Amino acid sequence: MESFVTVVKSCVRRYRLDRNPLRRRTDRIESAAVLAVMLLILLSVLPAVLAGRAAYDRAVYAAAHDRRVQATVLRDVPAAPVAYGDAPVSDLRAPVRWTDSSGTTRTGEARVPPLSKAGTLVPIWVNERGRPVASPPDEMEAVLRGAATGVLVLSGAVALTMGVFAGFRSAVDRVRYREWEADWRRADARWRRRRQA
């Protein structure tokens, strides 16, 4: 813990904006950039929370509006192909027929168990437009989708910000090194004149 506090103190001393005459213009620009990066990362929390909330709401909406119906398999379903070391496929897609809530008979492709025979009744999930969909998420899955979406958005924003900052810092370092080289050349010229005098 002490080392973390030491690192934080060192960073604050290095990047604080002050009137130290030894700080160059590039040092002040870098300090301002660090402050901007911290603000951008803090500002990216709100879009991450909103994206996570939207993903959660979509999952909850699907769970509330998708419904389960009994469908008739229209064609025999073969066994799922399994290669050595692969997990067996639990569901395959096949043509099915079902009746929606208005009494209309519909057909489409849905996930059915392997080896289902034509005429077998299988449960499928349909959305509010009557199209087959995957089973809706439960509450825990909805929460996990929302959290994962928020974390991904925040991670992407942080990675993008830090990548831009790394490029900016590289450019500032090149300018800083050129200035130091010029200062050393001037100092060397002064020292040579003093020795010759």
Side-chain angles (χ1 to χ4, degrees):
M1 185 66 176
E2 184 179 332
S3 63
F4 176 73
V5 172
T6 305
V7 168
V8 170
K9 285 181 180 177
S10 172
C11 287
V12 168
R13 269 196 309 273
R14 179 176 181 187
Y15 291 119
R16 71 179 175 208
L17 297 172
D18 60 9
R19 299 191 185 278
N20 184 342
L22 297 177
R23 285 192 196 266
R24 297 172 181 262
R25 181 177 52 92
T26 53
D27 297 332
R28 289 189 175 88
I29 290 171
E30 186 177 357
S31 295
V34 167
L35 181 63
V37 163
M38 289 190 310
L39 288 175
L40 284 172
I41 289 173
L42 285 175
L43 289 175
S44 66
V45 171
L46 179 63
V49 168
L50 293 176
R53 180 61 192 209
Y56 171 79
D57 288 344
R58 277 192 307 274
V60 168
Y61 181 85
H65 290 85
D66 292 353
R67 58 188 201 90
R68 193 172 180 173
V69 298
Q70 290 295 323
T72 305
V73 178
L74 299 178
R75 184 182 60 200
D76 287 350
V77 179
V82 178
Y84 180 75
D86 287 349
V89 178
S90 59
D91 290 326
L92 297 172
R93 297 189 69 77
V96 294
R97 181 178 50 237
W98 70 96
T99 305
D100 66 12
S101 58
S102 65
T104 305
T105 301
R106 294 177 171 258
T107 58
E109 278 204 355
R111 293 187 178 274
V112 298
L115 298 174
S116 296
K117 299 290 183 196
T120 305
L121 286 177
V122 294
I124 66 166
W125 288 90
V126 294
N127 62 16
E128 57 192 6
R129 292 185 297 260
R131 295 188 182 132
V133 293
S135 61
D138 60 6
E139 180 65 23
M140 181 55 89
E141 190 177 342
V143 168
L144 289 175
R145 282 185 189 182
T149 301
V151 167
L152 284 174
V153 169
L154 184 60
S155 299
V158 169
L160 179 66
T161 304
M162 294 307 289
V164 169
F165 177 69
F168 170 79
R169 186 161 181 210
S170 175
V172 168
D173 281 345
R174 283 194 301 273
V175 170
R176 184 179 290 141
Y177 296 148
R178 279 196 303 269
E179 289 176 355
W180 284 345
E181 195 64 40
D183 286 348
W184 278 111
R185 277 195 299 269
R186 283 192 295 273
D188 189 40
R190 273 194 309 242
W191 292 336
R192 282 185 188 178
R193 278 196 302 265
R194 284 183 188 167
R195 282 192 218 138
Q196 292 171 353

